[in-house]
Amino acid sequence: MFRAVLIEKDEQGYRAKVAELPESRLPEGDVVVDVEYSTLNYKDGLAITGKGPVVRSFPMVPGIDFAGVVRSSSDPAFAPGDRVVLNGWGVGEQHWGGLAQQAKVKGDWLIKLPASMPSRRAMIIGTAGYTAMLCIMALERHGIRPGSGDVLVTGAGGGVGSIAIMLLKKLGFRVVASTGRPEERPYLEALGAAEIIDRASLSEPGKPLQKERWIAAVDSVGSHTLANVCASTKADGAVAACGMAQGLDLHASVAPFILRGVALFGINSVTPPKAERVEAWDRLASLLTASDLEQTALDIGLNEVVASAARLMSGQVRGRTVVDVNK
């Protein structure tokens, strides 16, 4: 038996609860993992509260990422005792996910954790931090360097934003952070933000081409915010888009792209090639220390997940929510 957050939908409605389940109910897969830590991401919040059509089949165990130890494997790439991490691959949406004490998944979805990365630290980073690293790697491939100019981070108080600020600061960039919570200024400055701007300046419809303000941006917000971010990006700059907190829509102009040569990169953190996943986690392990990450972490147990998901969706959570599935 193992404990898990279980989402059910039937004639009685949509509900999420912690349940005790037999191992025989685990889905198909070739690697069984004893999960140690998972996280609570925005997508998990949508799934647990039912505020977004995230879950594709029911019942579902949410949790789009996890870190733990291999219990058994029929995949030759993994052996019992291997420490592994998973991000994405439809886990928590189409396939039972990480907010559970056990998970059974395809070996292709896993990578081994860097030797220096404990499971809890990996989940302070989680899919949010992993996505932030993928964004920065995309900007670097475009030629963005610390001397190129400021880098904007939207949704700065969230999981992606918090880790993005930290990583960019570590790499030598001057970071501008956009937030709707002015009380978070000390937190964002401690992470490495040199300048704080009000998200209201970006969140409404704006002009198609605006004053050049930053050379690059990491955007987890989407909608009007992303359009304004692009419109304010300097010539030959780049924007990495990875989220939709404001919305999936994008009412933008082609002007920044054809008049300034701005590049817009969509970041796929769900199914990137294995080599890219390994590179991202290796760089995260080398750049972020335990002391760096603790200031972003909120630890909860499995029984607190459902209530915490509601707080997350109402904007009451900052940084990274780490779930000890054995508590």
Side-chain angles (χ1 to χ4, degrees):
M1 303 291 288
F2 65 98
R3 294 171 68 242
V5 176
L6 190 70
I7 301 172
E8 296 176 299
K9 183 181 180 182
D10 52 30
E11 63 277 359
Q12 298 176 12
Y14 189 104
R15 60 197 180 278
K17 63 181 181 181
V18 175
E20 190 161 319
L21 305 169
E23 292 180 22
S24 60
R25 289 193 65 181
L26 285 168
E28 291 186 4
D30 44 27
V31 182
V32 177
V33 179
D34 287 325
V35 179
E36 295 177 319
Y37 292 92
S38 184
T39 62
L40 190 59
N41 293 280
Y42 184 77
K43 189 178 284 186
D44 300 320
L46 289 171
I48 292 166
T49 61
K51 291 186 176 181
V54 171
V55 178
R56 310 296 176 83
S57 64
F58 296 90
M60 178 58 61
V61 174
I64 64 171
D65 52 18
F66 62 77
V69 179
V70 172
R71 171 181 284 205
S72 62
S73 174
S74 58
D75 184 327
F78 299 96
D82 286 343
R83 297 174 54 255
V84 293
V85 64
L86 182 145
N87 305 96
W89 298 96
V91 167
E93 302 172 68
Q94 304 175 59
H95 189 98
W96 281 19
L99 287 168
Q101 292 175 314
Q102 285 189 21
K104 191 174 185 181
V105 298
K106 292 182 179 180
D108 289 343
W109 300 347
L110 298 167
I111 64 168
K112 293 179 183 178
L113 271 172
S116 62
M117 180 77 74
S119 294
R120 179 176 172 274
R121 192 186 308 169
M123 286 296 100
I124 299 177
I125 295 168
T127 292
Y130 163 70
T131 301
M133 189 74 253
L134 292 176
C135 288
I136 293 167
M137 288 163 57
L139 298 178
E140 290 174 336
R141 287 195 296 270
H142 186 70
I144 304 298
R145 298 292 182 266
S148 303
D150 291 353
V151 178
L152 172 73
V153 175
T154 65
V160 174
S162 295
I163 304 295
I165 292 170
M166 195 181 304
L167 289 168
L168 288 162
K169 174 66 173 178
K170 287 270 186 175
L171 291 167
F173 290 93
R174 184 180 187 274
V175 182
V176 179
S178 168
T179 182
R181 293 179 279 178
E183 69 276 11
E184 298 292 3
R185 175 178 289 272
Y187 168 73
L188 297 174
E189 290 177 340
L191 293 179
E195 183 181 345
I196 314 293
I197 64 172
D198 190 337
R199 73 180 177 199
S201 65
L202 298 171
S203 60
E204 299 298 327
K207 295 179 180 179
L209 206 60
Q210 301 172 29
K211 179 182 176 181
E212 296 177 80
R213 302 173 68 182
W214 34 76
I215 192 63
V218 173
D219 176 67
S220 60
V221 178
S223 191
H224 296 302
T225 296
L226 177 55
N228 287 317
V229 168
C230 293
S232 301
T233 299
K234 293 181 178 181
D236 300 318
V239 177
C242 64
M244 51 149 205
Q246 188 179 9
L248 283 167
D249 58 308
L250 180 58
H251 300 286
S253 164
V254 298
F257 311 112
I258 64 174
L259 298 179
R260 290 183 182 162
V262 171
L264 177 59
F265 295 105
I267 304 303
N268 168 22
S269 62
V270 178
T271 58
K274 186 171 185 176
E276 189 172 353
R277 288 183 276 149
V278 170
E279 179 187 355
W281 276 104
D282 284 346
R283 291 192 66 188
L284 287 163
S286 68
L287 286 167
L288 299 178
T289 67
S291 58
D292 292 329
L293 292 162
E294 285 300 332
Q295 61 189 314
T296 73
L298 170 67
D299 290 272
I300 64 172
L302 204 59
N303 287 330
E304 300 169 82
V305 166
V306 174
S308 294
R311 289 195 296 271
L312 175 65
M313 298 312 297
S314 62
Q316 299 176 41
V317 176
R318 77 176 186 194
R320 302 287 300 124
T321 301
V322 183
V323 182
D324 183 340
V325 299
N326 294 303
K327 277 190 176 181

